[in-house]
Amino acid sequence: MSQSVWLLRLSAARQLGLRPVALALLGRGPWARRRLRRALPGLTHTDTLGEEDLRPLWETHRWAGLPALALAGEGARAMEEARAWLAAHPPFRGPLWLCGQEAALRALHLLLAAQIARVAAPAEVVTALARRIAANPAYAMAQDNNHPISEAAGLMLCGLSLGDAAMAARGARRFEASVARLVHPDGSFAQPSPAYHRMMLDVAAVTEWLRTRMGGPPLSPEARGRLGAATDWLDRVTCRQTGALPRIGHQDGSCVADLSGCGPDDARGSVERAARMFCDATAGFPDDPGCAALGLPRPESPLFREAQWRSQGFLGRSEAGARAILRTGPLRFRPGHADLLHLDLWDGPVNLLRDGGSFAYNPSDPARAAAFQGTAAHNTIGFDGEDQMPRVGTFLFARWPRTGPLPDGGWMRDHRGRRHAREVTVEGRVWTVRDSIAGPHREAVLRWRLAPGEWRPTETGVASPMARLDVTADQPLRHRLVMGEESLAYGQASPAPVLEVALGPGPARIETRITLS
């Protein structure tokens, strides 16, 4: 490994902090291999997690169909399917046992189906899942994302199912600690990703429903308050008409315990369930079938959606049927994309200015996947064709930029001293984005990734039946409308129009005026 790569890794380790680095070493080092071999004979070494894209395989083995069988009156069949799966995939052997979170999600779906059907979950299956979850908690906790919450929930629920009070209490403590660490009091989540925010709330809401049914340790008022705030946060960014979420951050279509039949592209059932569980309120979907299946009462109080809001990592504005979400700092946890100051703009259900998505995590073409996570795949400014921070791994960046707030936006300064500040204002149906840049660079490129449509170039930008974008600056500009790519579903990519505006060296002020039709 070259000296420069080592320096980047040291930089990333310093910014991650001692706790996650120590936990990562504990969860993946040589001692982890020895411990796992003793605890789970036959388990493949977990370092293979970074070598191939197992995400599609894992998705099909999360047992998401078991609760649907239980709702259809086939609870006994659901339990038999779990037993058959265990026989076909012996414990701890093969890629389906590599990840503790996957075992936790199977446990959640299995125990949800058992409680719906009022049958006993097969103890041998629950025991195997519990052993896998419990074997390596350090790996999950090092991630500082959805993993520790899911695994703690799975461990608690397995303990309740098996009558193991110590296991249930250990899982409950870890769940509370993970929520306290990863969910900010303002509702933002450690992962700056609406999709994974939804997954976290899905796990938390179903876990809370199961805990009350199975007699588990009560949720603390602090944890309930943070999950309630997280519900408000997800409601703000969810399209009320379609349930679509901004594709900001990692986006892989994960959908947990979907009793509403909404699927990965519609989060309304998730928001409604969490609103009833943690806020004693409704998100505006009183007839949600998933909530009816769980017997959740219909609250009368609606969630309050603020027109202007700010949280850790995001800023939101709404007016005249349109809304904007700006990705700001601070970077409290490991960033998944180099997307600082990306702007999503929605006009009703139309995601007019949009994120490129994630495509895939470990595909056969790593460079293509990395491009979706890079700065050029977002509605922000890139300098000299570089990302805002250098990449040192599939899920790791180094030399995170400094960030700070502005009254209507935020600013960032990268490791090379290049500065970008952005503020967003709105009057009626006209949105104005003001960018200022400074620092050493040869070229800066502003990108606006557009909704597919009949866009045509104009002297100052582009226009379509949906909107008009006019970009001006105090320096000469070069506009061009090009065809890029976006990923609307995991592993898939499709063409998408992009307005690119290039400037030469030196400080500059740029204004984008977006007039909605």
Side-chain angles (χ1 to χ4, degrees):
M1 187 180 299
S2 69
Q3 183 180 11
S4 61
V5 174
W6 273 113
L7 290 174
L8 287 176
R9 289 195 171 187
L10 286 173
S11 169
R14 178 181 60 81
Q15 290 180 297
L16 287 168
L18 178 61
R19 179 185 185 273
V21 171
L23 287 168
L25 293 172
L26 183 63
R28 299 190 68 169
W31 41 86
R33 287 196 291 272
R34 292 193 295 270
R35 185 179 67 252
L36 287 169
R37 277 197 296 267
R38 290 194 300 268
L40 306 173
L43 181 71
T44 308
H45 182 217
T46 53
D47 280 353
T48 58
L49 283 168
E51 297 173 3
E52 58 181 305
D53 197 354
L54 296 172
R55 167 66 181 76
L57 176 68
W58 287 349
E59 173 73 18
T60 59
H61 289 270
R62 286 179 174 172
W63 300 355
L66 298 189
L69 284 176
L71 288 171
E74 298 188 65
R77 179 185 163 192
M79 301 303 109
E80 283 304 315
E81 286 200 3
R83 291 190 182 95
W85 187 96
L86 191 68
H89 305 89
F92 324 130
R93 298 182 183 275
L96 293 175
W97 290 96
L98 282 177
C99 181
Q101 177 176 239
E102 296 304 311
L105 296 179
R106 289 180 204 126
L108 186 145
H109 285 130
L110 173 65
L111 296 174
L112 178 60
Q115 285 297 316
I116 289 172
R118 300 182 184 275
V119 298
E124 70 276 16
V125 178
V126 177
T127 298
L129 297 173
R131 286 183 62 191
R132 178 60 193 93
I133 298 166
N136 195 20
Y139 177 82
M141 289 189 286
Q143 307 306 306
D144 275 337
N145 58 15
N146 54 301
H147 282 243
I149 289 179
S150 300
E151 291 195 22
L155 191 66
M156 177 178 69
L157 297 175
C158 286
L160 294 175
S161 178
L162 296 170
D164 187 331
M167 179 188 294
R170 187 163 66 252
R173 287 194 301 272
R174 290 178 183 170
F175 183 83
E176 291 268 348
S178 295
V179 169
R181 176 174 173 80
L182 302 175
V183 181
H184 194 269
D186 65 21
S188 57
F189 182 43
Q191 282 180 284
S193 158
Y196 274 115
H197 193 115
R198 174 195 182 183
M199 181 181 180
M200 177 273 294
L201 273 179
D202 281 344
V203 169
V206 173
T207 298
E208 176 64 2
W209 186 82
L210 287 170
R211 180 198 64 76
T212 58
R213 299 270 296 217
M214 300 169 74
L219 191 64
S220 71
E222 180 187 3
R224 182 176 294 278
R226 295 200 181 205
L227 292 170
T231 303
D232 284 328
W233 191 98
L234 186 65
D235 178 61
R236 293 186 200 118
V237 303
T238 301
C239 176
R240 285 276 173 87
Q241 295 97 321
T242 67
L245 295 172
R247 291 190 300 277
I248 300 171
H250 282 319
Q251 163 70 45
D252 64 9
S254 291
C255 192
V256 178
D258 178 21
L259 302 182
S260 304
C262 293
D265 298 324
D266 184 348
R268 287 175 292 184
S270 296
V271 178
E272 182 66 27
R273 179 170 59 195
R276 298 192 195 189
M277 294 297 302
F278 300 123
C279 305
D280 296 322
T282 177
F285 315 114
D287 298 321
D288 175 64
C291 291
L294 297 179
L296 299 179
R298 296 186 181 186
E300 294 183 2
S301 301
L303 291 177
F304 175 66
R305 181 174 282 196
E306 298 172 290
Q308 298 188 30
W309 56 272
R310 186 188 291 271
S311 70
Q312 293 280 307
F314 290 92
L315 176 146
R317 296 286 185 268
S318 299
E319 187 165 324
R323 58 196 176 90
I325 302 104
L326 179 68
R327 170 78 171 105
T328 65
L331 298 179
R332 296 177 57 233
F333 296 95
R334 174 173 47 128
H337 286 208
D339 61 355
L340 285 167
L341 302 184
H342 163 85
L343 181 72
D344 247 51
L345 180 62
W346 296 66
D347 187 11
V350 178
N351 189 186
L352 184 70
L353 305 180
R354 53 217 278 161
D355 194 287
S358 293
F359 184 51
Y361 298 151
N362 286 318
S364 57
D365 185 355
R368 188 182 187 198
F372 278 87
Q373 298 173 15
T375 300
H378 302 93
N379 294 329
T380 186
I381 292 178
F383 295 100
D384 298 330
E386 298 177 357
D387 287 336
Q388 295 167 339
M389 41 194 153
R391 180 186 300 277
V392 289
T394 304
F395 301 108
L396 185 62
F397 289 97
R399 296 176 179 167
W400 305 351
R402 291 185 175 185
T403 66
L406 294 172
D408 292 302
W411 61 266
M412 58 145 280
R413 185 176 186 270
D414 72 12
H415 66 286
R416 298 189 189 278
R418 299 174 295 202
R419 192 178 190 276
H420 175 202
R422 169 167 284 181
E423 291 197 273
V424 181
T425 58
V426 57
E427 291 185 12
R429 299 279 289 168
V430 178
W431 292 76
T432 303
V433 182
R434 295 181 176 89
D435 293 305
S436 62
I437 57 174
H441 66 274
R442 297 181 302 277
E443 182 183 64
V445 178
L446 166 65
R447 291 179 176 86
W448 293 117
R449 305 180 61 86
L450 308 166
E454 298 175 3
W455 294 96
R456 57 179 178 81
T458 67
E459 185 176 345
T460 55
V462 291
S464 81
M466 293 180 282
R468 179 185 178 94
L469 276 70
D470 295 292
V471 185
T472 57
D474 59 2
Q475 283 214 19
L477 299 175
R478 301 186 303 276
H479 303 79
R480 66 171 188 160
L481 180 61
V482 302
M483 193 57 66
E485 282 191 311
E486 65 179 359
S487 178
L488 302 179
Y490 192 83
Q492 300 178 19
S494 54
V498 183
L499 172 62
E500 293 186 346
V501 182
L503 302 87
R509 295 181 180 275
I510 312 152
E511 181 176 289
T512 303
R513 184 180 177 89
I514 306 157
T515 306
L516 304 178
S517 298

